[in-house]
Amino acid sequence: MLLSLVLHMYSMRYLLPSVVLLGSAPTYVLAWGVWRLLSALLPARIYQAVDDRLYWVYQSTVLFFFENYTGVQILLYGDLPKNKENIIYLANHQSTVDWVVADILAIRQNALGHVRYVLKDRLKWLPLYGCYFSQHGGIYVKRSAKFNERDMRRKLRSYVDAGTPMYLVIFPEGTRYNPGQTKLLSASQTFAVQQGLPVLKYVLTPRIKATYVAFDSMKNYLDAIYDVTVVYQGKDNKGEREESPSMTEFLCKECPTIHIHIARIDKKDVPEEQEYMRRWLHERFEIKDKLLIEFFDSPDPERRNKFPGKCVHSKLSLKKTLPSLLILSGLTAGMLTTEAGRKLYVNTWLYGTLLGCLWVTIRA
């Protein structure tokens, strides 16, 4: 009986992070909304600087739970610059935790507030955050024929004109790789054959549109592209490629180690023509595939379960995350201690969500 209770509590470790992160959402969005109104007549750069700082506070709270709370070991390979740059971040996509991995790298460059995402269009309906992500610089895109290139270019050029720091995260595969989804893998490999491209094993065939439009719109503003390859190494992972952990599983400490390989590519080494870039992007994913094949399938046991090259164990200091957690939690708790605060809290959830949905509908 006692053992069952302990095991049950052990499996519920995601509850605390969920309660804090979701529970503080109205507080965060309310603070942003107040600043948005106060800054209406100020230059865009001033608004963006404070918004980036607010975003830093929330995302460092996220990292408190995903790094400090879980105790995950972060192993870095390759060349992650210490200083922040204006970049496009291209990574393999296999888990909902992939969004957090971008934060894990950005905070180590003091660029956490500058992270912006290219997101699936349906995510714009997320309560409160759907509207906010767009306001922070995120871009919602539809797939294939419904992709709105003109709208994406317009938004990116407006950010460039405003001098907005850019850490733009794109997952070119468009959907998550899962070794158990054989139909998805087969469709991806068939598409590669049809396009005359090499077939990939541990990643999906990348799509070019978002990457090309992003680079073409910001090529004179960017410093580099970061080509990032990620492996989540689970407790029971014996060197075989398995389904990557969900956020819930990750917060339950089912992933003790994340291996992250970073290749920094100077913008001058990226082809500008779309067709050449398509080949270049596929070649980058061929390199990812080879890294993953060696990680999981290398005949040499000494080369398995790691990427080639020097490895750095990077530990995130509590000084970078705990203050944000205390600020956000303290403001939320303070709001909930009074009747007026509780009413404001509930109204922010309700009317903030409704107004956000109305906004994204109008802007669609």
Side-chain angles (χ1 to χ4, degrees), residues 48 51-52 55 99 113-120 124 129-141 151-152 154-156 158-159 164-169 359-360 363:
Q48 195 67 62
D51 176 59
D52 283 1
Y55 190 74
W99 306 100
H114 308 329
V115 176
R116 313 178 204 284
Y117 299 104
V118 173
L119 301 151
K120 292 179 181 178
K124 68 185 180 185
Y129 287 116
C131 174
Y132 172 71
F133 284 144
S134 176
Q135 294 295 305
H136 179 67
I139 299 172
Y140 293 108
V141 296
D151 188 52
M152 184 174 179
R154 178 184 59 79
K155 290 179 180 178
L156 289 173
S158 70
Y159 300 146
T164 304
M166 189 59 63
Y167 202 102
L168 186 65
V169 178
W359 174 260
V360 298
R363 301 283 292 181

Coordinates of all heavy atoms in Angstrom, one line a residue, residues 48 51-52 55 99 113-120 124 129-141 151-152 154-156 158-159 164-169 359-360 363:
Q48 N 9.9 46.5 -27.2 CA 10.5 45.2 -27.4 C 11.5 44.8 -26.4 O 11.5 43.7 -25.9 CB 11.1 45.2 -28.8 CG 11.4 43.8 -29.3 CD 10.2 43.0 -29.6 OE1 9.4 43.3 -30.4 NE2 10.0 41.9 -28.8
D51 N 9.5 43.9 -23.3 CA 8.8 42.6 -23.6 C 9.8 41.4 -23.6 O 9.5 40.4 -23.0 CB 8.1 42.7 -24.9 CG 7.5 41.4 -25.3 OD1 6.6 40.9 -24.6 OD2 7.9 40.8 -26.4
D52 N 11.0 41.6 -24.1 CA 12.0 40.6 -24.1 C 12.4 40.2 -22.7 O 12.7 39.1 -22.3 CB 13.2 41.0 -24.9 CG 13.0 40.8 -26.4 OD1 11.9 40.4 -26.8 OD2 13.9 41.1 -27.2
Y55 N 9.7 38.2 -21.1 CA 9.7 36.9 -21.7 C 10.8 36.1 -21.0 O 10.7 34.9 -20.8 CB 9.9 36.9 -23.2 CG 9.8 35.6 -23.9 CD1 8.5 35.1 -24.1 CD2 10.9 34.9 -24.4 CE1 8.3 33.9 -24.8 CE2 10.7 33.7 -25.1 CZ 9.5 33.2 -25.3 OH 9.3 32.0 -25.9
W99 N 11.0 22.6 -27.9 CA 10.9 24.0 -27.7 C 11.7 24.5 -26.5 O 12.3 25.6 -26.6 CB 9.4 24.4 -27.5 CG 8.5 23.9 -28.5 CD1 7.7 22.8 -28.5 CD2 8.3 24.4 -29.8 NE1 7.0 22.6 -29.7 CE2 7.4 23.6 -30.5 CE3 8.8 25.5 -30.5 CZ2 7.0 23.8 -31.8 CZ3 8.4 25.8 -31.8 CH2 7.5 24.9 -32.5
G113 N 15.5 36.0 -23.9 CA 14.3 36.9 -24.2 C 14.1 37.1 -25.7 O 13.1 37.6 -26.1
H114 N 15.1 36.8 -26.5 CA 15.0 37.0 -27.9 C 14.5 35.8 -28.7 O 14.5 35.8 -29.9 CB 16.4 37.4 -28.5 CG 17.1 38.5 -27.7 ND1 16.3 39.5 -27.1 CD2 18.4 38.8 -27.4 CE1 17.2 40.4 -26.5 NE2 18.4 39.9 -26.7
V115 N 14.2 34.7 -28.0 CA 13.8 33.5 -28.7 C 12.4 33.7 -29.2 O 11.4 34.1 -28.5 CB 13.7 32.3 -27.7 CG1 13.2 31.0 -28.4 CG2 15.2 32.0 -27.2
R116 N 12.2 33.4 -30.5 CA 10.9 33.6 -31.2 C 10.8 32.3 -32.1 O 11.7 31.8 -32.6 CB 10.9 34.8 -32.0 CG 11.4 36.0 -31.2 CD 11.4 37.4 -31.9 NE 12.4 38.3 -31.3 CZ 12.2 38.9 -30.2 NH1 11.1 38.8 -29.5 NH2 13.1 39.7 -29.7
Y117 N 9.5 31.9 -32.3 CA 9.3 30.6 -32.9 C 8.5 30.7 -34.2 O 7.6 31.6 -34.3 CB 8.5 29.7 -32.0 CG 9.2 29.3 -30.7 CD1 8.8 29.9 -29.5 CD2 10.3 28.4 -30.6 CE1 9.5 29.6 -28.3 CE2 10.9 28.1 -29.4 CZ 10.5 28.7 -28.3 OH 11.1 28.4 -27.1
V118 N 8.8 29.9 -35.1 CA 7.9 29.6 -36.3 C 7.0 28.4 -35.8 O 7.5 27.3 -35.6 CB 8.6 29.3 -37.6 CG1 7.6 28.9 -38.7 CG2 9.4 30.5 -38.0
L119 N 5.7 28.7 -35.7 CA 4.8 27.8 -35.0 C 3.7 27.2 -36.0 O 3.3 27.9 -37.0 CB 4.1 28.5 -33.9 CG 4.9 29.0 -32.8 CD1 4.3 30.2 -32.1 CD2 5.2 28.0 -31.7
K120 N 3.2 26.1 -35.7 CA 2.0 25.5 -36.4 C 0.8 26.5 -36.2 O 0.6 26.9 -35.1 CB 1.7 24.1 -36.0 CG 2.7 23.1 -36.3 CD 2.3 21.7 -35.8 CE 3.3 20.7 -36.1 NZ 3.0 19.3 -35.6
K124 N -2.1 29.0 -32.5 CA -2.6 30.4 -32.2 C -3.8 30.4 -31.3 O -4.2 31.4 -30.8 CB -2.8 31.2 -33.5 CG -4.0 30.7 -34.3 CD -4.0 31.4 -35.6 CE -5.2 31.0 -36.5 NZ -5.2 31.6 -37.8
Y129 N -1.7 32.4 -24.4 CA -0.4 32.5 -25.1 C -0.5 32.5 -26.6 O 0.4 32.9 -27.3 CB 0.4 31.3 -24.6 CG 0.9 31.4 -23.2 CD1 0.5 30.6 -22.2 CD2 1.8 32.5 -22.9 CE1 1.0 30.7 -20.9 CE2 2.2 32.6 -21.6 CZ 1.8 31.8 -20.6 OH 2.3 31.9 -19.3
G130 N -1.6 32.0 -27.2 CA -1.7 32.0 -28.6 C -1.5 33.4 -29.2 O -0.8 33.6 -30.2
C131 N -2.2 34.3 -28.6 CA -2.1 35.7 -29.1 C -0.7 36.3 -28.7 O -0.1 37.0 -29.5 CB -3.2 36.6 -28.5 SG -3.1 38.3 -28.8
Y132 N -0.3 36.0 -27.4 CA 1.0 36.6 -27.0 C 2.2 36.2 -27.8 O 3.0 37.0 -28.1 CB 1.2 36.2 -25.5 CG 2.6 36.7 -25.1 CD1 2.9 38.1 -24.9 CD2 3.6 35.8 -24.9 CE1 4.1 38.5 -24.6 CE2 4.9 36.2 -24.6 CZ 5.2 37.6 -24.5 OH 6.4 38.0 -24.2
F133 N 2.3 34.9 -28.2 CA 3.4 34.5 -28.9 C 3.6 35.3 -30.2 O 4.7 35.6 -30.7 CB 3.3 33.0 -29.3 CG 3.7 32.1 -28.1 CD1 3.0 30.9 -27.9 CD2 4.6 32.4 -27.2 CE1 3.3 30.1 -26.9 CE2 4.9 31.6 -26.1 CZ 4.3 30.4 -25.9
S134 N 2.4 35.6 -30.8 CA 2.5 36.4 -32.1 C 3.0 37.8 -31.8 O 3.8 38.4 -32.5 CB 1.1 36.5 -32.7 OG 1.1 37.3 -33.8
Q135 N 2.5 38.4 -30.6 CA 3.0 39.7 -30.2 C 4.5 39.7 -29.9 O 5.1 40.8 -30.1 CB 2.1 40.2 -29.0 CG 0.7 40.4 -29.3 CD 0.4 41.5 -30.3 OE1 0.9 42.6 -30.2 NE2 -0.2 41.2 -31.4
H136 N 5.0 38.6 -29.4 CA 6.4 38.6 -29.0 C 7.3 38.4 -30.2 O 8.5 38.5 -30.1 CB 6.6 37.4 -28.0 CG 8.1 37.3 -27.6 ND1 8.7 38.3 -26.8 CD2 9.0 36.3 -27.8 CE1 9.9 37.9 -26.6 NE2 10.1 36.7 -27.2
G137 N 6.7 38.1 -31.4 CA 7.5 37.9 -32.6 C 7.4 36.5 -33.2 O 8.1 36.2 -34.2
G138 N 6.6 35.7 -32.6 CA 6.4 34.3 -33.2 C 5.6 34.5 -34.5 O 4.8 35.4 -34.7
I139 N 5.7 33.5 -35.4 CA 5.0 33.5 -36.7 C 4.3 32.2 -36.9 O 4.9 31.1 -36.8 CB 6.0 33.7 -37.8 CG1 6.8 35.0 -37.6 CG2 5.3 33.6 -39.2 CD1 7.9 35.2 -38.6
Y140 N 3.0 32.3 -37.0 CA 2.2 31.1 -37.3 C 2.1 30.8 -38.8 O 1.9 31.7 -39.6 CB 0.8 31.3 -36.7 CG 0.7 31.4 -35.2 CD1 0.5 32.6 -34.6 CD2 0.9 30.3 -34.4 CE1 0.4 32.7 -33.2 CE2 0.9 30.4 -33.1 CZ 0.6 31.6 -32.5 OH 0.6 31.7 -31.1
V141 N 2.4 29.5 -39.1 CA 2.4 29.2 -40.6 C 1.5 27.9 -40.8 O 1.4 27.1 -39.9 CB 3.8 28.9 -41.1 CG1 4.7 30.1 -41.0 CG2 4.5 27.8 -40.3
D151 N 2.9 37.1 -45.9 CA 2.6 37.5 -44.5 C 3.9 37.2 -43.6 O 4.3 38.1 -42.8 CB 1.5 36.7 -43.9 CG 1.0 37.2 -42.5 OD1 0.8 38.4 -42.4 OD2 0.9 36.4 -41.6
M152 N 4.5 36.1 -43.8 CA 5.8 35.8 -43.1 C 6.9 36.8 -43.4 O 7.5 37.3 -42.5 CB 6.2 34.4 -43.4 CG 7.4 34.0 -42.5 SD 7.9 32.2 -42.8 CE 9.3 32.1 -41.7
R154 N 6.5 39.9 -44.5 CA 6.1 41.2 -43.9 C 6.4 41.3 -42.4 O 7.0 42.3 -42.0 CB 4.6 41.4 -44.1 CG 4.1 42.7 -43.5 CD 2.6 42.8 -43.7 NE 1.9 41.7 -43.0 CZ 1.6 41.7 -41.7 NH1 2.1 42.6 -40.9 NH2 1.0 40.6 -41.2
K155 N 6.1 40.2 -41.7 CA 6.4 40.2 -40.2 C 7.9 40.3 -40.0 O 8.4 41.0 -39.1 CB 5.8 39.0 -39.6 CG 4.2 39.1 -39.5 CD 3.7 37.8 -38.9 CE 2.2 37.9 -38.8 NZ 1.6 36.6 -38.3
L156 N 8.7 39.4 -40.7 CA 10.1 39.4 -40.4 C 10.8 40.7 -40.8 O 11.7 41.2 -40.1 CB 10.7 38.2 -41.2 CG 10.4 36.8 -40.7 CD1 10.9 35.8 -41.7 CD2 11.0 36.6 -39.3
S158 N 9.4 43.6 -40.7 CA 9.1 44.6 -39.7 C 10.0 44.5 -38.5 O 10.4 45.5 -37.9 CB 7.6 44.5 -39.3 OG 7.4 43.3 -38.6
Y159 N 10.3 43.2 -38.1 CA 11.2 43.0 -37.0 C 12.6 43.5 -37.3 O 13.3 44.1 -36.5 CB 11.2 41.5 -36.6 CG 9.9 41.0 -36.2 CD1 9.6 39.6 -36.5 CD2 9.0 41.7 -35.5 CE1 8.3 39.1 -36.2 CE2 7.7 41.2 -35.2 CZ 7.4 39.9 -35.5 OH 6.2 39.4 -35.2
T164 N 14.8 44.4 -34.0 CA 14.5 43.4 -33.0 C 15.5 42.2 -33.0 O 15.8 41.6 -34.0 CB 13.1 42.7 -33.4 OG1 12.1 43.8 -33.5 CG2 12.7 41.7 -32.3
P165 N 16.1 42.0 -31.8 CA 17.0 40.8 -31.7 C 16.3 39.5 -32.1 O 15.2 39.3 -31.7 CB 17.4 40.9 -30.2 CG 17.2 42.3 -29.7 CD 16.0 42.7 -30.5
M166 N 17.0 38.7 -32.8 CA 16.3 37.6 -33.4 C 17.0 36.2 -33.1 O 18.2 36.1 -33.5 CB 16.2 37.8 -34.9 CG 15.4 36.8 -35.6 SD 13.6 36.7 -35.0 CE 13.1 38.4 -35.5
Y167 N 16.3 35.4 -32.5 CA 16.8 34.0 -32.2 C 15.6 33.1 -32.7 O 14.8 32.6 -31.9 CB 17.0 33.8 -30.7 CG 17.9 32.7 -30.3 CD1 19.2 32.9 -30.0 CD2 17.5 31.3 -30.3 CE1 20.1 31.9 -29.6 CE2 18.3 30.3 -29.9 CZ 19.6 30.6 -29.5 OH 20.5 29.6 -29.1
L168 N 15.5 33.0 -34.0 CA 14.3 32.4 -34.6 C 14.4 30.9 -34.7 O 15.3 30.4 -35.4 CB 14.1 33.0 -36.0 CG 12.8 32.6 -36.7 CD1 11.5 33.2 -36.0 CD2 12.8 33.1 -38.2
V169 N 13.5 30.2 -34.1 CA 13.5 28.8 -34.0 C 12.6 28.2 -35.1 O 11.4 28.5 -35.1 CB 13.1 28.3 -32.6 CG1 13.1 26.7 -32.5 CG2 14.0 28.9 -31.5
W359 N -8.5 38.4 -31.5 CA -7.4 39.1 -32.2 C -6.8 38.2 -33.3 O -6.6 38.7 -34.4 CB -6.3 39.4 -31.2 CG -5.1 40.0 -31.7 CD1 -3.9 39.3 -32.0 CD2 -4.9 41.3 -32.2 NE1 -3.0 40.1 -32.6 CE2 -3.5 41.4 -32.7 CE3 -5.7 42.5 -32.2 CZ2 -3.0 42.6 -33.2 CZ3 -5.1 43.6 -32.8 CH2 -3.8 43.7 -33.2
V360 N -6.5 36.9 -33.0 CA -5.9 36.1 -34.0 C -6.9 35.8 -35.2 O -6.5 35.6 -36.3 CB -5.4 34.8 -33.4 CG1 -4.3 35.0 -32.4 CG2 -6.5 33.9 -32.8
R363 N -6.7 38.9 -37.3 CA -5.4 39.0 -38.0 C -5.2 37.9 -39.0 O -4.2 37.9 -39.8 CB -4.3 38.9 -37.0 CG -4.3 40.0 -35.9 CD -3.8 41.3 -36.5 NE -2.4 41.3 -36.8 CZ -1.7 42.4 -37.2 NH1 -2.4 43.5 -37.5 NH2 -0.5 42.3 -37.5

